[in-house]
Every structure is written in C-alpha cells, then in structure tokens.
PDB file of all heavy atoms in Angstrom:
ATOM      1  N   LEU A   1       9.126  48.274  33.929  1.00 91.00           N
ATOM      2  CA  LEU A   1       7.724  48.115  33.561  1.00 91.00           C
ATOM      3  C   LEU A   1       7.058  49.492  33.364  1.00 91.00           C
ATOM      4  O   LEU A   1       6.330  49.701  32.401  1.00 91.00           O
ATOM      5  CB  LEU A   1       6.996  47.322  34.657  1.00 91.00           C
ATOM      6  CG  LEU A   1       5.608  46.780  34.356  1.00 91.00           C
ATOM      7  CD1 LEU A   1       5.707  45.681  33.309  1.00 91.00           C
ATOM      8  CD2 LEU A   1       4.992  46.232  35.631  1.00 91.00           C
ATOM      9  N   ARG A   2       7.329  50.401  34.293  1.00 93.00           N
ATOM     10  CA  ARG A   2       6.734  51.730  34.219  1.00 93.00           C
ATOM     11  C   ARG A   2       7.190  52.449  32.946  1.00 93.00           C
ATOM     12  O   ARG A   2       6.398  53.068  32.248  1.00 93.00           O
ATOM     13  CB  ARG A   2       7.148  52.547  35.438  1.00 93.00           C
ATOM     14  CG  ARG A   2       6.589  53.974  35.493  1.00 93.00           C
ATOM     15  CD  ARG A   2       7.127  54.752  36.648  1.00 93.00           C
ATOM     16  NE  ARG A   2       8.569  54.989  36.522  1.00 93.00           N
ATOM     17  CZ  ARG A   2       9.091  55.939  35.718  1.00 93.00           C
ATOM     18  NH1 ARG A   2       8.294  56.723  35.003  1.00 93.00           N
ATOM     19  NH2 ARG A   2      10.394  56.125  35.662  1.00 93.00           N
ATOM     20  N   LYS A   3       8.489  52.326  32.614  1.00 93.00           N
ATOM     21  CA  LYS A   3       9.014  53.009  31.435  1.00 93.00           C
ATOM     22  C   LYS A   3       8.438  52.442  30.125  1.00 93.00           C
ATOM     23  O   LYS A   3       8.189  53.179  29.164  1.00 93.00           O
ATOM     24  CB  LYS A   3      10.527  52.929  31.408  1.00 93.00           C
ATOM     25  CG  LYS A   3      11.216  53.790  32.474  1.00 93.00           C
ATOM     26  CD  LYS A   3      12.741  53.766  32.317  1.00 93.00           C
ATOM     27  CE  LYS A   3      13.377  54.733  33.331  1.00 93.00           C
ATOM     28  NZ  LYS A   3      14.858  54.706  33.232  1.00 93.00           N
ATOM     29  N   LEU A   4       8.273  51.135  30.111  1.00 94.00           N
ATOM     30  CA  LEU A   4       7.703  50.532  28.879  1.00 94.00           C
ATOM     31  C   LEU A   4       6.281  51.024  28.615  1.00 94.00           C
ATOM     32  O   LEU A   4       5.924  51.278  27.488  1.00 94.00           O
ATOM     33  CB  LEU A   4       7.676  48.974  29.046  1.00 94.00           C
ATOM     34  CG  LEU A   4       9.037  48.255  28.963  1.00 94.00           C
ATOM     35  CD1 LEU A   4       8.862  46.789  29.284  1.00 94.00           C
ATOM     36  CD2 LEU A   4       9.632  48.415  27.557  1.00 94.00           C
ATOM     37  N   LYS A   5       5.516  51.166  29.677  1.00 95.00           N
ATOM     38  CA  LYS A   5       4.143  51.628  29.535  1.00 95.00           C
ATOM     39  C   LYS A   5       4.109  53.106  29.120  1.00 95.00           C
ATOM     40  O   LYS A   5       3.319  53.509  28.270  1.00 95.00           O
ATOM     41  CB  LYS A   5       3.361  51.402  30.821  1.00 95.00           C
ATOM     42  CG  LYS A   5       3.101  49.941  31.102  1.00 95.00           C
ATOM     43  CD  LYS A   5       2.112  49.725  32.242  1.00 95.00           C
ATOM     44  CE  LYS A   5       2.691  50.081  33.590  1.00 95.00           C
ATOM     45  NZ  LYS A   5       1.768  49.698  34.719  1.00 95.00           N
ATOM     46  N   GLU A   6       4.970  53.898  29.740  1.00 94.00           N
ATOM     47  CA  GLU A   6       4.988  55.339  29.437  1.00 94.00           C
ATOM     48  C   GLU A   6       5.578  55.648  28.074  1.00 94.00           C
ATOM     49  O   GLU A   6       5.022  56.440  27.307  1.00 94.00           O
ATOM     50  CB  GLU A   6       5.756  56.101  30.510  1.00 94.00           C
ATOM     51  CG  GLU A   6       5.054  56.140  31.876  1.00 94.00           C
ATOM     52  CD  GLU A   6       5.894  56.917  32.877  1.00 94.00           C
ATOM     53  OE1 GLU A   6       7.000  57.400  32.542  1.00 94.00           O
ATOM     54  OE2 GLU A   6       5.426  57.056  34.041  1.00 94.00           O
ATOM     55  N   ARG A   7       6.667  55.034  27.743  1.00 94.00           N
ATOM     56  CA  ARG A   7       7.393  55.364  26.507  1.00 94.00           C
ATOM     57  C   ARG A   7       6.727  54.795  25.271  1.00 94.00           C
ATOM     58  O   ARG A   7       6.692  55.418  24.210  1.00 94.00           O
ATOM     59  CB  ARG A   7       8.846  54.841  26.593  1.00 94.00           C
ATOM     60  CG  ARG A   7       9.713  55.308  25.416  1.00 94.00           C
ATOM     61  CD  ARG A   7      11.152  54.850  25.655  1.00 94.00           C
ATOM     62  NE  ARG A   7      12.041  55.373  24.636  1.00 94.00           N
ATOM     63  CZ  ARG A   7      12.614  56.572  24.658  1.00 94.00           C
ATOM     64  NH1 ARG A   7      12.356  57.392  25.660  1.00 94.00           N
ATOM     65  NH2 ARG A   7      13.417  56.986  23.705  1.00 94.00           N
ATOM     66  N   TYR A   8       6.198  53.553  25.384  1.00 95.00           N
ATOM     67  CA  TYR A   8       5.673  52.888  24.179  1.00 95.00           C
ATOM     68  C   TYR A   8       4.177  52.706  24.205  1.00 95.00           C
ATOM     69  O   TYR A   8       3.612  52.104  23.291  1.00 95.00           O
ATOM     70  CB  TYR A   8       6.383  51.515  24.017  1.00 95.00           C
ATOM     71  CG  TYR A   8       7.878  51.636  23.961  1.00 95.00           C
ATOM     72  CD1 TYR A   8       8.684  51.068  24.925  1.00 95.00           C
ATOM     73  CD2 TYR A   8       8.491  52.318  22.905  1.00 95.00           C
ATOM     74  CE1 TYR A   8      10.063  51.175  24.868  1.00 95.00           C
ATOM     75  CE2 TYR A   8       9.883  52.435  22.843  1.00 95.00           C
ATOM     76  CZ  TYR A   8      10.648  51.864  23.817  1.00 95.00           C
ATOM     77  OH  TYR A   8      12.015  51.969  23.786  1.00 95.00           O
ATOM     78  N   GLY A   9       3.525  53.151  25.267  1.00 94.00           N
ATOM     79  CA  GLY A   9       2.068  53.089  25.301  1.00 94.00           C
ATOM     80  C   GLY A   9       1.541  51.647  25.440  1.00 94.00           C
ATOM     81  O   GLY A   9       0.442  51.350  24.993  1.00 94.00           O
ATOM     82  N   LEU A  10       2.324  50.767  26.039  1.00 95.00           N
ATOM     83  CA  LEU A  10       1.888  49.379  26.186  1.00 95.00           C
ATOM     84  C   LEU A  10       0.931  49.242  27.346  1.00 95.00           C
ATOM     85  O   LEU A  10       1.026  49.974  28.331  1.00 95.00           O
ATOM     86  CB  LEU A  10       3.108  48.480  26.427  1.00 95.00           C
ATOM     87  CG  LEU A  10       4.248  48.473  25.407  1.00 95.00           C
ATOM     88  CD1 LEU A  10       5.314  47.437  25.801  1.00 95.00           C
ATOM     89  CD2 LEU A  10       3.723  48.202  24.017  1.00 95.00           C
ATOM     90  N   SER A  11      -0.011  48.310  27.200  1.00 95.00           N
ATOM     91  CA  SER A  11      -0.904  48.025  28.300  1.00 95.00           C
ATOM     92  C   SER A  11      -0.109  47.367  29.424  1.00 95.00           C
ATOM     93  O   SER A  11       1.022  46.872  29.217  1.00 95.00           O
ATOM     94  CB  SER A  11      -2.013  47.050  27.860  1.00 95.00           C
ATOM     95  OG  SER A  11      -1.466  45.777  27.547  1.00 95.00           O
ATOM     96  N   ASP A  12      -0.689  47.334  30.639  1.00 94.00           N
ATOM     97  CA  ASP A  12       0.027  46.731  31.756  1.00 94.00           C
ATOM     98  C   ASP A  12       0.351  45.275  31.511  1.00 94.00           C
ATOM     99  O   ASP A  12       1.440  44.796  31.762  1.00 94.00           O
ATOM    100  CB  ASP A  12      -0.816  46.873  33.024  1.00 94.00           C
ATOM    101  CG  ASP A  12      -0.095  46.352  34.251  1.00 94.00           C
ATOM    102  OD1 ASP A  12       0.845  47.008  34.719  1.00 94.00           O
ATOM    103  OD2 ASP A  12      -0.491  45.265  34.759  1.00 94.00           O
ATOM    104  N   ASP A  13      -0.641  44.543  30.946  1.00 95.00           N
ATOM    105  CA  ASP A  13      -0.453  43.126  30.691  1.00 95.00           C
ATOM    106  C   ASP A  13       0.636  42.875  29.650  1.00 95.00           C
ATOM    107  O   ASP A  13       1.503  42.012  29.811  1.00 95.00           O
ATOM    108  CB  ASP A  13      -1.761  42.484  30.204  1.00 95.00           C
ATOM    109  CG  ASP A  13      -1.630  40.996  29.975  1.00 95.00           C
ATOM    110  OD1 ASP A  13      -1.272  40.261  30.888  1.00 95.00           O
ATOM    111  OD2 ASP A  13      -1.852  40.583  28.807  1.00 95.00           O
ATOM    112  N   LEU A  14       0.615  43.655  28.559  1.00 96.00           N
ATOM    113  CA  LEU A  14       1.611  43.501  27.494  1.00 96.00           C
ATOM    114  C   LEU A  14       3.014  43.871  27.971  1.00 96.00           C
ATOM    115  O   LEU A  14       3.998  43.230  27.654  1.00 96.00           O
ATOM    116  CB  LEU A  14       1.234  44.344  26.264  1.00 96.00           C
ATOM    117  CG  LEU A  14       2.017  44.095  24.989  1.00 96.00           C
ATOM    118  CD1 LEU A  14       1.988  42.639  24.596  1.00 96.00           C
ATOM    119  CD2 LEU A  14       1.464  44.967  23.870  1.00 96.00           C
ATOM    120  N   ALA A  15       3.085  44.929  28.790  1.00 94.00           N
ATOM    121  CA  ALA A  15       4.375  45.353  29.347  1.00 94.00           C
ATOM    122  C   ALA A  15       4.963  44.255  30.257  1.00 94.00           C
ATOM    123  O   ALA A  15       6.152  43.986  30.227  1.00 94.00           O
ATOM    124  CB  ALA A  15       4.229  46.650  30.130  1.00 94.00           C
ATOM    125  N   ARG A  16       4.086  43.641  31.052  1.00 91.00           N
ATOM    126  CA  ARG A  16       4.546  42.574  31.958  1.00 91.00           C
ATOM    127  C   ARG A  16       5.059  41.381  31.162  1.00 91.00           C
ATOM    128  O   ARG A  16       6.047  40.712  31.543  1.00 91.00           O
ATOM    129  CB  ARG A  16       3.443  42.133  32.910  1.00 91.00           C
ATOM    130  CG  ARG A  16       3.136  43.144  33.986  1.00 91.00           C
ATOM    131  CD  ARG A  16       2.024  42.655  34.911  1.00 91.00           C
ATOM    132  NE  ARG A  16       1.718  43.676  35.927  1.00 91.00           N
ATOM    133  CZ  ARG A  16       2.420  43.852  37.041  1.00 91.00           C
ATOM    134  NH1 ARG A  16       3.470  43.056  37.285  1.00 91.00           N
ATOM    135  NH2 ARG A  16       2.086  44.794  37.895  1.00 91.00           N
ATOM    136  N   GLN A  17       4.391  41.081  30.032  1.00 92.00           N
ATOM    137  CA  GLN A  17       4.831  39.950  29.207  1.00 92.00           C
ATOM    138  C   GLN A  17       6.166  40.238  28.563  1.00 92.00           C
ATOM    139  O   GLN A  17       7.066  39.400  28.522  1.00 92.00           O
ATOM    140  CB  GLN A  17       3.797  39.654  28.148  1.00 92.00           C
ATOM    141  CG  GLN A  17       2.519  39.039  28.685  1.00 92.00           C
ATOM    142  CD  GLN A  17       1.568  38.663  27.544  1.00 92.00           C
ATOM    143  OE1 GLN A  17       1.905  37.829  26.718  1.00 92.00           O
ATOM    144  NE2 GLN A  17       0.397  39.268  27.545  1.00 92.00           N
ATOM    145  N   ILE A  18       6.335  41.433  27.989  1.00 93.00           N
ATOM    146  CA  ILE A  18       7.541  41.737  27.220  1.00 93.00           C
ATOM    147  C   ILE A  18       8.736  41.906  28.160  1.00 93.00           C
ATOM    148  O   ILE A  18       9.880  41.605  27.792  1.00 93.00           O
ATOM    149  CB  ILE A  18       7.360  42.995  26.314  1.00 93.00           C
ATOM    150  CG1 ILE A  18       8.465  43.028  25.260  1.00 93.00           C
ATOM    151  CG2 ILE A  18       7.338  44.258  27.132  1.00 93.00           C
ATOM    152  CD1 ILE A  18       8.424  41.894  24.280  1.00 93.00           C
ATOM    153  N   VAL A  19       8.523  42.371  29.395  1.00 89.00           N
ATOM    154  CA  VAL A  19       9.647  42.570  30.316  1.00 89.00           C
ATOM    155  C   VAL A  19      10.202  41.210  30.762  1.00 89.00           C
ATOM    156  O   VAL A  19      11.342  41.118  31.218  1.00 89.00           O
ATOM    157  CB  VAL A  19       9.226  43.427  31.532  1.00 89.00           C
ATOM    158  CG1 VAL A  19       8.564  42.597  32.623  1.00 89.00           C
ATOM    159  CG2 VAL A  19      10.440  44.163  32.119  1.00 89.00           C
ATOM    160  N   ARG A  20       9.398  40.127  30.617  1.00 85.00           N
ATOM    161  CA  ARG A  20       9.841  38.793  30.943  1.00 85.00           C
ATOM    162  C   ARG A  20      10.424  38.081  29.767  1.00 85.00           C
ATOM    163  O   ARG A  20      10.944  36.975  29.879  1.00 85.00           O
ATOM    164  CB  ARG A  20       8.684  37.976  31.511  1.00 85.00           C
ATOM    165  CG  ARG A  20       8.170  38.454  32.868  1.00 85.00           C
ATOM    166  CD  ARG A  20       7.014  37.564  33.322  1.00 85.00           C
ATOM    167  NE  ARG A  20       6.616  37.933  34.714  1.00 85.00           N
ATOM    168  CZ  ARG A  20       5.715  37.290  35.403  1.00 85.00           C
ATOM    169  NH1 ARG A  20       5.085  36.263  34.863  1.00 85.00           N
ATOM    170  NH2 ARG A  20       5.393  37.640  36.636  1.00 85.00           N
ATOM    171  N   ASP A  21      10.321  38.647  28.568  1.00 86.00           N
ATOM    172  CA  ASP A  21      10.740  37.978  27.347  1.00 86.00           C
ATOM    173  C   ASP A  21      12.261  38.054  27.214  1.00 86.00           C
ATOM    174  O   ASP A  21      12.885  39.068  27.503  1.00 86.00           O
ATOM    175  CB  ASP A  21      10.050  38.574  26.141  1.00 86.00           C
ATOM    176  CG  ASP A  21      10.123  37.682  24.923  1.00 86.00           C
ATOM    177  OD1 ASP A  21      11.172  37.727  24.236  1.00 86.00           O
ATOM    178  OD2 ASP A  21       9.191  36.941  24.671  1.00 86.00           O
ATOM    179  N   VAL A  22      12.859  36.953  26.696  1.00 82.00           N
ATOM    180  CA  VAL A  22      14.305  36.939  26.532  1.00 82.00           C
ATOM    181  C   VAL A  22      14.776  37.933  25.471  1.00 82.00           C
ATOM    182  O   VAL A  22      15.968  38.324  25.469  1.00 82.00           O
ATOM    183  CB  VAL A  22      14.805  35.526  26.147  1.00 82.00           C
ATOM    184  CG1 VAL A  22      14.511  34.548  27.237  1.00 82.00           C
ATOM    185  CG2 VAL A  22      14.172  35.037  24.831  1.00 82.00           C
ATOM    186  N   ARG A  23      13.867  38.400  24.592  1.00 88.00           N
ATOM    187  CA  ARG A  23      14.270  39.343  23.570  1.00 88.00           C
ATOM    188  C   ARG A  23      13.801  40.786  23.925  1.00 88.00           C
ATOM    189  O   ARG A  23      13.549  41.581  23.022  1.00 88.00           O
ATOM    190  CB  ARG A  23      13.669  38.921  22.220  1.00 88.00           C
ATOM    191  CG  ARG A  23      14.361  37.699  21.601  1.00 88.00           C
ATOM    192  CD  ARG A  23      13.826  37.410  20.234  1.00 88.00           C
ATOM    193  NE  ARG A  23      14.679  36.513  19.477  1.00 88.00           N
ATOM    194  CZ  ARG A  23      14.315  35.277  19.161  1.00 88.00           C
ATOM    195  NH1 ARG A  23      13.130  34.770  19.534  1.00 88.00           N
ATOM    196  NH2 ARG A  23      15.125  34.495  18.424  1.00 88.00           N
ATOM    197  N   LEU A  24      13.730  41.101  25.203  1.00 90.00           N
ATOM    198  CA  LEU A  24      13.315  42.425  25.626  1.00 90.00           C
ATOM    199  C   LEU A  24      14.180  43.517  24.969  1.00 90.00           C
ATOM    200  O   LEU A  24      13.673  44.536  24.498  1.00 90.00           O
ATOM    201  CB  LEU A  24      13.409  42.557  27.135  1.00 90.00           C
ATOM    202  CG  LEU A  24      13.230  43.947  27.741  1.00 90.00           C
ATOM    203  CD1 LEU A  24      11.853  44.525  27.426  1.00 90.00           C
ATOM    204  CD2 LEU A  24      13.477  43.935  29.253  1.00 90.00           C
ATOM    205  N   ASP A  25      15.519  43.279  24.930  1.00 88.00           N
ATOM    206  CA  ASP A  25      16.417  44.291  24.363  1.00 88.00           C
ATOM    207  C   ASP A  25      16.135  44.520  22.865  1.00 88.00           C
ATOM    208  O   ASP A  25      16.175  45.638  22.347  1.00 88.00           O
ATOM    209  CB  ASP A  25      17.854  43.899  24.584  1.00 88.00           C
ATOM    210  CG  ASP A  25      18.200  42.565  23.988  1.00 88.00           C
ATOM    211  OD1 ASP A  25      17.309  41.691  23.932  1.00 88.00           O
ATOM    212  OD2 ASP A  25      19.362  42.333  23.612  1.00 88.00           O
ATOM    213  N   LEU A  26      15.795  43.423  22.176  1.00 92.00           N
ATOM    214  CA  LEU A  26      15.456  43.536  20.737  1.00 92.00           C
ATOM    215  C   LEU A  26      14.179  44.306  20.542  1.00 92.00           C
ATOM    216  O   LEU A  26      14.086  45.175  19.650  1.00 92.00           O
ATOM    217  CB  LEU A  26      15.371  42.153  20.096  1.00 92.00           C
ATOM    218  CG  LEU A  26      14.990  42.124  18.614  1.00 92.00           C
ATOM    219  CD1 LEU A  26      15.982  42.892  17.765  1.00 92.00           C
ATOM    220  CD2 LEU A  26      14.863  40.675  18.149  1.00 92.00           C
ATOM    221  N   PHE A  27      13.167  44.039  21.382  1.00 95.00           N
ATOM    222  CA  PHE A  27      11.924  44.789  21.294  1.00 95.00           C
ATOM    223  C   PHE A  27      12.181  46.278  21.407  1.00 95.00           C
ATOM    224  O   PHE A  27      11.690  47.086  20.625  1.00 95.00           O
ATOM    225  CB  PHE A  27      10.920  44.355  22.378  1.00 95.00           C
ATOM    226  CG  PHE A  27       9.883  45.420  22.627  1.00 95.00           C
ATOM    227  CD1 PHE A  27       8.831  45.610  21.711  1.00 95.00           C
ATOM    228  CD2 PHE A  27       9.954  46.242  23.752  1.00 95.00           C
ATOM    229  CE1 PHE A  27       7.905  46.614  21.915  1.00 95.00           C
ATOM    230  CE2 PHE A  27       9.031  47.218  23.970  1.00 95.00           C
ATOM    231  CZ  PHE A  27       7.984  47.443  23.056  1.00 95.00           C
ATOM    232  N   GLU A  28      12.974  46.673  22.430  1.00 93.00           N
ATOM    233  CA  GLU A  28      13.212  48.134  22.609  1.00 93.00           C
ATOM    234  C   GLU A  28      13.924  48.723  21.425  1.00 93.00           C
ATOM    235  O   GLU A  28      13.636  49.860  21.038  1.00 93.00           O
ATOM    236  CB  GLU A  28      14.023  48.307  23.906  1.00 93.00           C
ATOM    237  CG  GLU A  28      13.260  47.990  25.179  1.00 93.00           C
ATOM    238  CD  GLU A  28      13.990  48.428  26.423  1.00 93.00           C
ATOM    239  OE1 GLU A  28      14.849  47.670  26.905  1.00 93.00           O
ATOM    240  OE2 GLU A  28      13.716  49.511  26.923  1.00 93.00           O
ATOM    241  N   ARG A  29      14.888  47.985  20.863  1.00 94.00           N
ATOM    242  CA  ARG A  29      15.595  48.506  19.685  1.00 94.00           C
ATOM    243  C   ARG A  29      14.652  48.684  18.496  1.00 94.00           C
ATOM    244  O   ARG A  29      14.713  49.722  17.838  1.00 94.00           O
ATOM    245  CB  ARG A  29      16.737  47.534  19.334  1.00 94.00           C
ATOM    246  CG  ARG A  29      17.670  48.098  18.289  1.00 94.00           C
ATOM    247  CD  ARG A  29      18.957  47.329  18.169  1.00 94.00           C
ATOM    248  NE  ARG A  29      18.790  46.065  17.486  1.00 94.00           N
ATOM    249  CZ  ARG A  29      19.082  44.873  17.989  1.00 94.00           C
ATOM    250  NH1 ARG A  29      19.528  44.767  19.230  1.00 94.00           N
ATOM    251  NH2 ARG A  29      18.925  43.792  17.280  1.00 94.00           N
ATOM    252  N   LEU A  30      13.796  47.710  18.262  1.00 96.00           N
ATOM    253  CA  LEU A  30      12.869  47.788  17.132  1.00 96.00           C
ATOM    254  C   LEU A  30      11.804  48.877  17.372  1.00 96.00           C
ATOM    255  O   LEU A  30      11.408  49.590  16.422  1.00 96.00           O
ATOM    256  CB  LEU A  30      12.185  46.444  16.917  1.00 96.00           C
ATOM    257  CG  LEU A  30      13.140  45.283  16.540  1.00 96.00           C
ATOM    258  CD1 LEU A  30      12.331  44.004  16.308  1.00 96.00           C
ATOM    259  CD2 LEU A  30      13.945  45.622  15.293  1.00 96.00           C
ATOM    260  N   ALA A  31      11.334  49.012  18.615  1.00 96.00           N
ATOM    261  CA  ALA A  31      10.326  50.047  18.887  1.00 96.00           C
ATOM    262  C   ALA A  31      10.892  51.417  18.693  1.00 96.00           C
ATOM    263  O   ALA A  31      10.205  52.335  18.241  1.00 96.00           O
ATOM    264  CB  ALA A  31       9.840  49.873  20.349  1.00 96.00           C
ATOM    265  N   GLU A  32      12.189  51.621  19.006  1.00 95.00           N
ATOM    266  CA  GLU A  32      12.832  52.900  18.812  1.00 95.00           C
ATOM    267  C   GLU A  32      12.969  53.220  17.287  1.00 95.00           C
ATOM    268  O   GLU A  32      12.754  54.340  16.882  1.00 95.00           O
ATOM    269  CB  GLU A  32      14.195  52.935  19.471  1.00 95.00           C
ATOM    270  CG  GLU A  32      14.153  53.014  21.004  1.00 95.00           C
ATOM    271  CD  GLU A  32      13.550  54.341  21.461  1.00 95.00           C
ATOM    272  OE1 GLU A  32      13.879  55.398  20.891  1.00 95.00           O
ATOM    273  OE2 GLU A  32      12.677  54.296  22.368  1.00 95.00           O
ATOM    274  N   ARG A  33      13.379  52.207  16.546  1.00 96.00           N
ATOM    275  CA  ARG A  33      13.640  52.436  15.111  1.00 96.00           C
ATOM    276  C   ARG A  33      12.397  52.506  14.249  1.00 96.00           C
ATOM    277  O   ARG A  33      12.352  53.282  13.271  1.00 96.00           O
ATOM    278  CB  ARG A  33      14.560  51.309  14.592  1.00 96.00           C
ATOM    279  CG  ARG A  33      15.980  51.320  15.136  1.00 96.00           C
ATOM    280  CD  ARG A  33      16.803  50.170  14.563  1.00 96.00           C
ATOM    281  NE  ARG A  33      18.146  50.205  15.139  1.00 96.00           N
ATOM    282  CZ  ARG A  33      19.077  49.278  14.890  1.00 96.00           C
ATOM    283  NH1 ARG A  33      18.764  48.274  14.089  1.00 96.00           N
ATOM    284  NH2 ARG A  33      20.282  49.338  15.424  1.00 96.00           N
ATOM    285  N   TYR A  34      11.402  51.697  14.572  1.00 95.00           N
ATOM    286  CA  TYR A  34      10.259  51.580  13.663  1.00 95.00           C
ATOM    287  C   TYR A  34       8.922  51.931  14.288  1.00 95.00           C
ATOM    288  O   TYR A  34       7.875  51.776  13.674  1.00 95.00           O
ATOM    289  CB  TYR A  34      10.182  50.136  13.133  1.00 95.00           C
ATOM    290  CG  TYR A  34      11.476  49.660  12.523  1.00 95.00           C
ATOM    291  CD1 TYR A  34      12.310  48.769  13.209  1.00 95.00           C
ATOM    292  CD2 TYR A  34      11.878  50.110  11.262  1.00 95.00           C
ATOM    293  CE1 TYR A  34      13.519  48.351  12.648  1.00 95.00           C
ATOM    294  CE2 TYR A  34      13.091  49.683  10.700  1.00 95.00           C
ATOM    295  CZ  TYR A  34      13.901  48.793  11.429  1.00 95.00           C
ATOM    296  OH  TYR A  34      15.062  48.371  10.848  1.00 95.00           O
TER     297      TYR A  34
END
C-alpha cells in the first residue's frame, strides 16, 4: 500500500482499492509502461 502511494501518486483510498483487486499485477505493469 505504501509503495503504491509513493510510486504512482495514488490516494490512500484508491491504493486500498487497487491492492485488493484481482488484477493488481496488471495495474502495476500498465502503470510502469504507460
């Protein structure tokens, strides 16, 4: 959760939602590429 907020500038609420999502790994891959 801490890394998602620091690396991608996500709000606390959005980071908590995405860390629970089944496609978390896909989000990280897309955020890195695009």
Side-chain angles (χ1 to χ4, degrees):
L1 193 68
R2 181 186 66 79
K3 288 186 177 180
L4 287 173
K5 290 191 288 187
E6 289 181 359
R7 187 175 186 83
Y8 304 115
L10 303 184
S11 67
D12 184 71
D13 181 59
L14 190 55
R16 287 181 182 277
Q17 290 185 61
I18 197 64
V19 83
R20 292 180 173 184
D21 197 277
V22 296
R23 287 186 165 111
L24 170 63
D25 58 330
L26 178 58
F27 159 74
E28 291 190 276
R29 189 165 77 238
L30 298 181
E32 286 296 316
R33 291 180 182 176
Y34 307 104

